[in-house]
Amino acid sequence: MINSIALSLLLGFELSYYLLILQTGIVTHYNSDLITLFPMFAGGMIGTLISGKSWGKLDNPMHKILIALSLQLVLSFAYPNYNVFTLTLLGIAVGLMAPLGIYLFKAAQQKSLLFALGIAYTIGTYSFTSDVDSRLWMAVVFTSIALISALVLKNYKVHTDTKVISHTFASYFPLMLWILLDSNLFETLSRHVGLDIWSTHTTTIIIFHLIGLLSAYFIHMPRMKQHILIAFLFIGSYTFSYLEMPLMLAIIYPFTISYYNVIVFTALSQEMSLSKLSFMMIFVGWIASGLGLALALSGFFH
């Protein structure tokens, strides 16, 4: 029970950190300038890659997580003013956490994963419109909660014999597509004054985030049908965005995000090889989201 709660808090508040400090905090502070932000993306890919490598006596995933969160906590006190060096270090810290946090979950802990996503989307939505330059306390508090949770889990063992699935590289391509489409639409909407759904439909967004999570958890269907459903959900999200229908967008888009992320996180958590998971997350996470951001800035899709 304690481990399950600690797992939910660890991933939930680390995802909250990613959403509010990196994705909508630092990125917004630097006006989505990809050249300025490049060290953070580069550091993220480096951190993600080395998370799957052997660290000798520190090879236990929990030891790596404690080091990553300690570094993240120190760097959080500098928010939001970073230089090339500190942006790189922050990217490395968050990059380390990306695969390690997911790797802790097994099939029997899907409820903990669900609660973690629920925490992240509720906090992320509620705080989305807060001043990006006044989130230092969030950076420190979110990281502190994640670090305390990791300390509770310091003796936690990942039983790799329960991770019996190793997905093919091709099976990760749809996941990359969903993240790219999400990143593009999210960045586009965050810049569109007329579609500021987060300040006008906050409660609706939170509710449909939670409905999307529960739907993905309780409604079981073959993987191909899941991807077809996600494709239609994104078509609907983009359609309501083009038609500038905020209320409908506030209903379908949060549902889409939550639903597809359960599918993505479940697939990633099933990967029995940490080294393969870390390698794939460079593409599924950093490259797909970075490309989506770049496409949004170019106005290619919208």
Side-chain angles (χ1 to χ4, degrees):
M1 180 67 176
I2 293 177
N3 283 349
S4 296
I5 294 173
L7 281 170
S8 294
L9 293 175
L10 172 60
L11 184 59
F13 279 93
E14 182 61 16
L15 287 174
S16 298
Y17 185 96
Y18 179 83
L19 289 169
L20 291 170
I21 304 305
L22 262 69
Q23 189 176 18
T24 62
I26 295 174
V27 171
T28 302
H29 176 75
Y30 290 105
N31 198 32
S32 302
D33 185 340
L34 294 181
I35 295 176
T36 302
L37 295 170
F38 178 77
M40 186 176 73
F41 284 102
M45 289 189 284
I46 292 170
T48 299
L49 184 61
I50 64 176
S51 67
K53 303 296 183 181
S54 173
W55 291 17
K57 292 182 179 180
L58 297 175
D59 208 36
N60 187 311
M62 289 311 308
H63 294 159
K64 296 178 181 179
I65 286 174
L66 288 170
I67 292 171
L69 287 173
S70 297
L71 176 60
Q72 181 178 297
L73 180 60
V74 171
L75 292 167
S76 292
F77 285 98
Y79 180 88
N81 299 306
Y82 296 97
N83 55 37
V84 172
F85 179 67
T86 51
L87 271 178
T88 303
L89 287 179
L90 185 61
I92 290 174
V94 176
L96 284 169
M97 282 301 302
L100 290 170
I102 295 173
Y103 188 70
L104 298 180
F105 288 84
K106 303 188 293 292
Q109 293 154 336
Q110 291 303 293
K111 287 184 180 178
S112 297
L113 177 60
L114 199 71
F115 283 120
L117 292 171
I119 290 170
Y121 289 130
T122 300
I123 294 175
T125 301
Y126 183 80
S127 304
F128 182 84
T129 57
S130 63
D131 180 19
V132 297
D133 290 336
S134 302
R135 295 181 183 178
L136 187 149
W137 71 269
M138 292 186 192
V140 174
V141 170
F142 293 171
T143 306
S144 297
I145 294 174
L147 182 56
I148 292 170
S149 301
L151 287 170
V152 172
L153 293 164
K154 66 178 185 291
N155 296 320
Y156 180 77
K157 302 291 184 183
V158 179
H159 300 289
T160 53
D161 58 334
T162 63
K163 288 176 169 286
V164 295
I165 297 175
S166 183
H167 295 289
T168 63
F169 287 101
S171 67
Y172 284 107
F173 290 153
L175 310 185
M176 294 173 60
L177 176 60
W178 307 143
I179 292 173
L180 185 153
L181 291 174
D182 182 18
S183 177
N184 174 74
L185 184 56
F186 183 84
E187 180 65 21
T188 300
L189 293 177
S190 66
R191 291 171 166 272
H192 197 307
V193 178
L195 287 173
D196 181 15
I197 60 175
W198 287 275
S199 61
T200 55
H201 300 290
T202 307
T203 302
T204 301
I205 291 172
I206 292 174
I207 290 172
F208 279 92
H209 266 310
L210 298 179
I211 292 175
L213 292 175
L214 293 173
S215 298
Y217 181 77
F218 286 108
I219 301 175
H220 302 285
M221 62 179 70
R223 188 178 305 158
M224 181 59 68
K225 289 186 177 180
Q226 288 176 337
H227 289 311
I228 292 173
L229 174 58
I230 293 170
F232 278 108
L233 289 171
F234 268 113
I235 289 172
S237 298
Y238 272 81
T239 299
F240 290 127
S241 172
Y242 281 118
L243 297 176
E244 298 192 2
M245 301 174 66
L247 179 58
M248 294 305 299
L249 189 60
I251 292 172
I252 191 170
Y253 184 43
F255 183 95
T256 304
I257 295 173
S258 293
Y259 185 89
Y260 97 80
N261 266 313
V262 172
I263 307 304
V264 170
F265 277 89
T266 299
L268 292 171
S269 67
Q270 291 171 340
E271 182 57 60
M272 62 183 178
S273 168
L274 178 57
S275 59
K276 182 178 176 181
L277 173 61
S278 63
F279 178 75
M280 287 310 307
M281 285 202 67
I282 293 175
F283 298 92
V284 175
W286 294 101
I287 293 178
S289 60
L291 183 57
L293 173 60
L295 289 173
L297 295 176
S298 71
F300 183 75
F301 283 143
H302 202 297

